[in-house]
Amino acid sequence: MQRSTKVTLAAVLFSSVLAACGGSSASEPVVIPDTVGLEVHAVSGLKFDASSYTATAGDIEVAYVNEDSIRHTLVVVEGDTKVGSFELKVNKSGDVDLGTINLPAGNYVLLCTVPGHQNMKADLTVK
Ligand SMILES: [Cu+2]
């Protein structure tokens, strides 16, 4: 009984913190679907959470999570060419954007296209 009371209190406190930060009562927890085949986080310091990623060839569901406080995008480049019209955008901390891109096996580069963010670059190996 005492234990469940504590859990409930913690949940209430957590929601009020979220509401206070977001300025909106509609804050929802970030849910990344199980079907996601590539998860990339934008982190502070104008970088991704890894310098290289891997995925399985075919339709790849991509989740882009913003752990930073500013806007970032995510595109896939092969050689010097952007692949298709695929672009994910996360405008603020906590944002998650989802999209699907079809990629055959090969070596690609992930980029953020926001001006000044050219250091946000990572290798993507698709097998
Ligand atoms: Cu960026």
Side-chain angles (χ1 to χ4, degrees):
M1 190 52 132
Q2 198 172 6
R3 185 189 165 106
S4 68
T5 308
K6 274 185 190 163
V7 168
T8 308
L9 182 60
V12 168
L13 285 174
F14 186 57
S15 344
S16 9
V17 168
L18 280 180
C21 284
S24 155
S25 56
S27 301
E28 287 171 23
V30 172
V31 178
I32 308 289
D34 290 342
T35 48
V36 159
L38 173 63
E39 186 176 333
V40 179
H41 293 236
V43 298
S44 67
L46 299 184
K47 54 189 185 184
F48 297 125
D49 62 327
S51 57
S52 65
Y53 299 85
T54 56
T56 303
D59 282 331
I60 302 165
E61 191 174 355
V62 185
Y64 192 32
V65 181
N66 198 348
E67 291 183 19
D68 196 15
S69 52
I70 58 171
R71 181 175 74 98
H72 297 287
T73 67
L74 184 71
V75 300
V76 178
V77 168
E78 184 179 23
D80 288 330
T81 309
K82 185 180 160 193
V83 179
S85 57
F86 179 86
E87 182 171 0
L88 298 180
K89 295 175 186 170
V90 286
N91 292 320
K92 58 182 192 308
S93 178
D95 274 7
V96 178
D97 199 9
L98 297 169
T100 300
I101 186 169
N102 186 283
L103 294 175
N107 296 312
Y108 304 86
V109 172
L110 300 174
L111 291 178
C112 171
T113 60
V114 175
H117 292 204
Q118 56 268 38
N119 284 343
M120 296 183 72
K121 194 172 184 181
D123 294 323
L124 171 63
T125 305
V126 176
K127 300 184 229 190

